[in-house]
Amino acid sequence: MDKKLITTWTVKDVCEGFTFDKNEGKGLFGLNGKLIVQPEYQRNYIYDKGGKDVEVIKSLLKGYPLGLIYFVKNADGMYEVLDGQQRITSFARFVNSTYPFAVSDENDNPRYFDSLNSEEQEKILKTELTIYVCEGTSQEIQEWFEKINIVGEKLTAQELRNAAYHGSFVNLARKIFSNSSNSNMNKWLTYIKGDPKRQEVLERALDWVSDGKIEDYMSIHRNDDNVDEIKNHFDSVMDWISSVFDYTGKEVRGREWGKFYNLYHKNPYDKSYVTKRVNELLADKNVRDNNGIFEYILSGENRPQLLDVRLFEDSIKTAKYAMQTQEAKEKGCSNCPICASSNNSNKTRIWKIEEMDADHVTAWSKGGATDISNCEMLCRQHNQAKGNR
Ligand SMILES: [Zn+2]
C-alpha cells in the first residue's frame, strides 16, 4: 500500500467548495470537489453535539494542531476522508458559514467567522493540516484502518469492513440493517445483540448469509445493485425463530441464530411442546446456563453440556465415596462398580477419591436428580465412557 504524508494543504484548501447537507447532517465535498468529506460508510457528523465543533475552532485560534487526518485516494483520483471527518466538517462549517455556529470569546459574546478580525481569520485559514493519504487494496486499507483505529474513537469490526468494502452493496444494506427507525428493528433486537448504528445488526445479517465469511461475501457483492439475498436470508431466520419459539425473554438475545437455522431449520418442532420445555428448563435450578436452552431443545435434548447442568457438590461426592469404598473393601472388590464387575486387574482395585468422578445414575436429562440418592462414584475412565447421556 502506498502511503504519503501531505502537510501543505491548509484549512482554506480543504474548505474550498465545501458543501453541507443540513437534512442529513453531513459534510459532502471539499478541496474544490476533489474530497468526499463523509463517505457513506462513515458515521454521521456528531461534533455539533456536546460542543466539540467549538473546541476545534478554539484549537485553531490558539494554533494547536488538529491531529492526524487520513484520506484514501481512489482510483478515479478522488479523495475520501477515512479519519478526520468530524474535525473537517466542524471547521468547514465555521469558515464557509453554510450552517454556521459561533464560538464565544472571553466575555461570552458569540463570534462567527465573519466577526473575527482578519488576523484571526487568516490564522485559521492558513493552518496547515497533517494528512496521510493512502492508496491500496480494500484489504490493505482495512488493515491500516485497524491500526489508526487505536487512536481516536474506536470503530466496530463492521464499521471497519464497511470502510474497506464500501460501495453500492454496503449503501443499500445499511439502509435496512443500520436504520434504527426501521419498523422491524425492535423485533430484530429481541434476538440480536448490538447497536444498529454501530453496524452490528448488519454484521449479524452478513454473518448469517455468508456462514461466517463476511469479508468474502462483501467482496463478491461489493458492487451489487440489490440486497435481496441477504434480506431474504435474514427474514427466513427471523421467521423461523418465531415459528419455533414463543419465548422472547432476554436469554434469546445474542444466540447464534444463524448457525441454529442452518443446522435445524429442516427439523419439525412441536411449538407447544417447545414452549413447555423452555419454561421447565428456565425453572430448573440444575440448569446453570439458561442461554443454552434453545440449542439444547433444537438439537434434541441430548447435550446437557449446553446447559452447564449443576454437578454434584464435593460433600455429596465425599460421602458417596466413603460409602462405596467401605462396601467394596468388605466385599473385596473395586470401589468402582463397573471395574468390580469386570474381569481385568482393576477388578479389586480401590481408587483414590481424586481418581474418581461423580455420575448421575439416572441421567439428569431423563429426570435424574442431582442428590446423593442418584449419585454414583466411577473411576475416571468409566465415567468418561458413560459420557453425557
Ligand atoms: Zn472403573
Side-chain angles (χ1 to χ4, degrees), residues 334 336-340 346 351 356 378-383:
S334 172
C336 167
I338 301 180
C339 286
N346 285 338
W351 300 93
M356 303 186 89
L378 298 177
C379 73
R380 280 269 150 78
Q381 193 197 336
H382 283 129
N383 185 59

Side-chain angles (χ1 to χ4, degrees), residues 299-330:
S299 61
E301 304 200 29
N302 51 22
R303 288 160 63 203
Q305 61 270 37
L306 290 168
L307 304 175
D308 190 17
V309 173
R310 190 167 67 89
L311 302 173
F312 293 103
E313 283 163 23
D314 282 347
S315 57
I316 295 180
K317 288 189 204 170
T318 309
K320 190 69 191 178
Y321 175 84
M323 284 161 64
Q324 277 180 221
T325 304
Q326 196 192 346
E327 212 176 305
K329 281 177 176 167
E330 286 165 7

Side-chain angles (χ1 to χ4, degrees), residues 6-200:
I6 296 180
T7 54
T8 51
W9 283 336
T10 60
V11 165
K12 183 172 189 285
D13 294 329
V14 171
C15 289
E16 214 63 67
F18 175 76
T19 48
F20 184 75
D21 182 332
K22 193 177 169 183
N23 292 327
E24 287 202 43
K26 66 186 210 177
L28 300 174
F29 300 104
L31 261 183
N32 260 326
K34 289 208 299 282
L35 176 70
I36 299 166
V37 177
Q38 191 185 3
E40 283 296 332
Y41 56 81
Q42 286 279 21
R43 213 170 303 151
N44 291 345
Y45 177 62
I46 51 174
Y47 264 30
D48 52 347
K49 304 188 176 65
K52 276 179 135 181
D53 51 358
V54 172
E55 289 308 311
V56 169
I57 305 309
K58 285 185 173 168
S59 294
L60 287 170
L61 283 168
K62 285 178 188 156
Y64 296 163
L66 284 188
L68 283 171
I69 286 172
Y70 296 87
F71 290 175
V72 174
K73 190 175 183 186
N74 292 335
D76 61 3
M78 290 285 287
Y79 298 92
E80 291 184 5
V81 180
L82 196 55
D83 193 43
Q85 176 235 131
Q86 307 286 340
R87 285 165 283 168
I88 289 173
T89 305
S90 297
F91 67 63
R93 274 179 56 206
F94 186 74
V95 167
N96 292 47
S97 308
T98 43
Y99 183 42
F101 61 95
V103 296
S104 48
D105 63 10
E106 303 86 66
N107 304 319
D108 264 353
N109 296 315
R111 303 183 71 201
Y112 291 89
F113 185 74
D114 291 345
S115 59
L116 300 178
N117 65 46
S118 59
E119 200 182 316
E120 289 169 318
Q121 290 185 350
E122 283 297 292
K123 188 166 189 181
I124 290 176
L125 293 174
K126 285 188 173 163
T127 300
E128 284 176 344
L129 301 166
T130 313
I131 300 171
Y132 265 116
V133 175
C134 77
E135 281 179 84
T137 64
S138 301
Q139 187 60 35
E140 288 169 333
I141 289 169
Q142 182 174 10
E143 280 167 16
W144 194 53
F145 213 52
E146 275 163 16
K147 239 176 273 163
I148 67 168
N149 196 25
I150 296 163
V151 283
E153 202 180 343
K154 286 242 190 260
L155 297 174
T156 63
Q158 190 55 41
E159 283 171 335
L160 291 168
R161 291 188 200 106
N162 287 2
Y165 298 100
H166 67 88
S168 50
F169 175 82
V170 165
N171 295 345
L172 291 169
R174 278 175 41 127
K175 289 200 170 83
I176 299 171
F177 297 108
S178 311
N179 174 2
S180 26
S181 54
N182 181 327
S183 58
N184 290 314
M185 194 55 81
N186 271 345
K187 183 194 166 191
W188 295 349
L189 291 176
T190 306
Y191 302 102
I192 294 175
K193 203 178 210 155
D195 181 351
K197 284 201 193 119
R198 302 302 307 269
Q199 312 304 318
E200 287 164 324

